[in-house]
């Protein structure tokens, strides 16, 4: 079985699952805290203000800086290294998230200050999330596993967080109030920072330019779409390249990838609809139906448990499945049906069943998307291209809550759900007709990223050398 990881002759880095295990642990901790907060914060605003519009405003204020800062963070991640960016931003997020319940308990949290703190968390969380994603292919190289399997495991981690987070969040809110959920978020960020800073072995997540210089060559996109090589001297000189030139290199590469651009546009629209669904439509449905935060936790858990199952299957067999068919089947299951079942006000068991089926389909999406990205983007450009791609795909998320809140205020919950569900179905159906999707399997198991080989690991003592075998 071929893998997307290629090891250069003379590479000293031993085969080890420790980098991937440490990275997935940090992702699990921080993502679980974020999922708890995603329930606690909207419920806090909705319960204290009674306004769906203000609930959407909070989501807008968090996600706007998330997207904007993430878009500009690529060259910084490539220059400083994803490891440094990850643990420092998680540390800042922990402090900011911890101040929210502290100030609220002291009676010093007016709404405008809540918006400031939420905006700060969003601004630093964007680069932190991206930095962890950038380290996935490197960790896969050290574990010597296919990219689909590594991204599948990352998908399992995300889905587990999406399962545990809503359950914990709903329970905490019901028992102790929403501020308890925000406290858990702060603790999770702090733990995630510690894991990245102290648990990952040395050499993981180094600056991309420096790593290219050590390896003696790095891949650059050629006109024919192949990964050309440049000399070690040129790679070393790249350390002096300015921020905006690095930014333009990422933008130029992304513009030359029709498949990635098509994916980004489609995901951008569906992300906008998902954001409005999760931050406004589901909380309003839970309040109007009388289920409260507990039912939000139940639906999130049903979705998450099934998504974990889908992600586990994807991690095991996705590299053998036809990507295009699986991708659009997953979107068909996870998209419009959940909007429709809430609009029809079906019994809770029907809602949970629809969410479970949708979660199972969603579990196959991220492993495929991640593998395609890591195959097509050279390693030294991952930070820049990933930042731009993610930011464009997430650009509609800040508007999702605002638009959903306004739609509910103007027309009511049911019309808003039906329109959003119809748009979701139309987006995925129309996108599936584009010819670019035939490229999904072209670089399978190869990938340009493989041209950026693992640099020789720095000398370590026996006690520092990773010991966990894959």
């Amino acid at each position: 079985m071929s893998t997307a990881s290629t090891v250069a002759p003379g590479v000293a880095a031993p085969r080890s699952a420790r980098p991937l295990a440490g990275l997935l642990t940090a992702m699990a901790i921080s993502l679980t805290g974020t999922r708890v907060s995603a329930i606690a914060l909207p419920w806090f605003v909705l319960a204290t203000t009674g306004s769906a519009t203000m609930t959407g405003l909070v989501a807008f204020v968090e996600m706007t800086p998330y997207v904007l800062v993430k878009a500009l963070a690529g060259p910084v991640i490539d220059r400083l290294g994803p490891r440094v960016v990850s643990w420092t931003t998680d540390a800042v997020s922990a402090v900011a998230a911890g101040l929210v319940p502290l100030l609220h308990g002291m009676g010093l949290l007016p709404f405008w200050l809540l918006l400031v703190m939420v905006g700060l968390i969003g601004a630093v969380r964007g680069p932190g999330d991206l930095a962890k994603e950038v380290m996935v292919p490197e960790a896969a190289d050290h574990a010597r596993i296919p990219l689909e399997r590594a991204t599948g495991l990352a998908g399992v981690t995300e889905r587990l967080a999406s399962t545990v987070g809503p359950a914990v969040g709903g329970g905490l809110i019901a028992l102790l109030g929403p501020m308890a959920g925000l406290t858990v978020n702060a603790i999770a960020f702090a733990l995630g920072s510690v894991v990245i800073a102290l648990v990952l072995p040395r050499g993981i997540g180094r600056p991309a330019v420096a790593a290219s210089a050590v390896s003696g060559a790095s891949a650059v996109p050629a006109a024919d779409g192949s990964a050309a090589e440049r000399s070690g001297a040129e790679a070393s000189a790249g350390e002096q390249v300015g921020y905006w030139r690095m930014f333009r290199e990422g933008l130029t590469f992304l513009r030359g990838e029709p498949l990635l651009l098509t994916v980004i546009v489609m995901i951008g629209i569906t992300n906008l609809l998902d954001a409005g669904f999760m931050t406004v439509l589901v909380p309003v449905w839970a309040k109007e139906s009388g289920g409260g935060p507990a039912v939000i936790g139940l639906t999130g858990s049903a979705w998450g448990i099934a998504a974990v199952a889908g992600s586990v299957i994807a991690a095991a067999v996705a590299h053998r499945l036809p990507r295009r068919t699986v991708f659009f089947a997953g979107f068909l299951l996870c998209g419009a049906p959940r909007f429709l079942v809430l609009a029809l006000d079906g019994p809770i068991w029907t809602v949970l069943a629809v969410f479970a089926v949708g979660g199972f389909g969603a579990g196959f999406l991220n492993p495929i998307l991640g593998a395609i990205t890591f195959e097509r983007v050279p390693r030294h450009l991952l930070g820049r291209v990933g930042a731009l791609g993610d930011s464009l795909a997430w650009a509609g998320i800040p508007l999702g809550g605002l638009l959903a809140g306004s739609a509910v205020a103007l027309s009511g919950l049911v019309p808003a759900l039906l329109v959003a569900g119809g748009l979701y179905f139309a987006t995925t159906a129309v996108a599936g007709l584009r010819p670019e999707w035939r490229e999904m399997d072209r670089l399978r198991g190869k990938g340009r990223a493989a041209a950026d080989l693992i640099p020789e690991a720095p000398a370590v003592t026996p006690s520092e050398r990773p010991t966990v075998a894959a």
Side-chain angles (χ1 to χ4, degrees):
M1 178 177 58
S2 63
T3 73
S5 302
T6 304
V7 183
V11 169
R15 179 181 181 181
S16 173
R18 178 180 167 185
L20 186 59
L23 180 60
L24 295 179
T25 299
M27 292 173 68
I29 294 171
S30 60
L31 286 173
T32 299
T34 301
R35 298 301 187 269
V36 172
S37 176
I39 292 180
L41 187 59
W43 189 260
F44 170 71
V45 177
L46 190 61
T48 54
T49 67
S51 170
T53 302
M54 295 184 75
T55 303
L57 178 61
V58 171
F60 173 81
V61 170
E62 179 180 10
M63 296 312 302
T64 299
Y66 181 100
V67 171
L68 293 177
V69 175
K70 193 174 189 179
L72 300 173
V76 177
I77 292 173
D78 286 341
R79 186 176 295 279
L80 297 181
R83 180 178 188 159
V84 170
V85 174
S86 177
W87 75 259
T88 54
T89 54
D90 277 359
V92 174
S93 296
V95 173
L99 285 175
V100 173
L102 178 63
L103 293 174
H104 176 72
M106 298 171 62
L108 300 175
L109 189 67
F111 188 69
W112 67 265
L113 184 55
L114 174 65
L115 295 180
V116 171
M117 302 305 296
V118 167
L120 175 60
I121 293 170
V124 294
R125 189 164 65 86
D129 288 351
L130 176 62
K132 295 179 184 66
E133 295 170 13
V134 168
M135 288 188 281
V136 169
E138 182 182 4
D141 285 338
H142 283 270
R144 309 292 186 255
I145 62 175
L147 278 175
E148 281 101 338
R149 184 160 296 167
T151 55
L153 290 173
V156 171
T157 301
E158 180 183 356
R159 302 306 180 182
L160 280 171
S162 298
T163 303
V164 176
V168 172
L172 282 175
I173 295 170
L175 294 174
L176 303 175
M179 287 297 111
L182 298 178
T183 302
V184 168
N185 189 28
I187 296 171
F189 275 126
L191 291 176
S193 176
V194 170
V195 170
I196 293 294
L198 301 180
V199 174
L200 292 188
R202 288 196 313 173
I204 299 297
R206 287 181 295 171
V209 177
S212 297
V214 172
S215 65
S218 64
V220 293
D224 63 356
S226 63
E229 299 247 335
R230 62 178 181 175
S231 68
E234 291 172 322
S236 180
E239 296 183 46
Q240 307 304 319
V241 173
Y243 170 88
W244 289 111
R245 180 175 171 183
M246 295 177 71
F247 185 89
R248 285 195 302 272
E249 287 176 353
L251 181 61
T252 300
F253 180 87
L254 186 59
R255 288 170 58 188
E257 283 288 335
L259 174 60
L260 293 183
L261 288 175
T262 303
V263 169
I264 288 168
V265 172
M266 188 188 81
I267 299 300
I269 298 173
T270 58
N271 276 347
L272 182 151
L273 298 170
D274 284 330
F277 184 76
M278 293 304 301
T279 61
V280 175
L281 298 181
V282 171
V284 172
W285 165 78
K287 187 176 182 180
E288 291 187 359
S289 66
V295 76
I296 302 178
L298 282 175
T299 55
S301 296
W303 175 279
I305 291 171
V308 169
S311 296
V312 169
I313 295 174
V317 302
H319 56 287
R320 298 190 182 96
L321 300 176
R323 286 177 175 173
R324 185 179 182 183
T325 301
V326 173
F327 185 76
F328 284 102
F331 259 116
L332 180 64
L333 293 176
C334 76
R338 52 201 166 113
F339 292 83
L340 182 61
V341 73
L342 296 190
L344 295 177
D345 195 25
I348 187 62
W349 67 266
T350 305
V351 173
L352 294 178
V354 170
F355 271 67
V357 172
F360 182 78
F364 287 83
L365 301 180
N366 284 347
I368 294 174
L369 290 174
I372 291 171
T373 300
F374 294 143
E375 284 173 353
R376 304 186 76 87
V377 181
R379 286 289 166 85
H380 72 286
L381 292 177
L382 271 178
R384 282 160 275 180
V385 176
L388 290 168
D390 283 3
S391 298
L392 291 172
W394 285 52
I397 291 180
L399 299 174
L402 284 178
L403 293 176
S406 299
V408 171
L410 290 174
S411 62
L413 176 63
V414 172
L417 285 166
L418 292 175
V419 170
L423 289 174
Y424 207 114
F425 177 79
T427 298
T428 53
V430 171
L433 301 176
R434 298 285 302 176
E436 291 87 353
W437 295 105
R438 290 193 292 268
E439 292 284 305
M440 292 185 83
D441 289 284
R442 186 171 67 85
L443 293 179
R444 189 171 198 153
K446 301 174 185 177
R448 299 178 187 175
D452 284 328
L453 306 176
I454 308 174
E456 184 167 344
V460 293
T461 65
S463 62
E464 294 171 330
R465 189 175 298 277
T467 58
V468 181

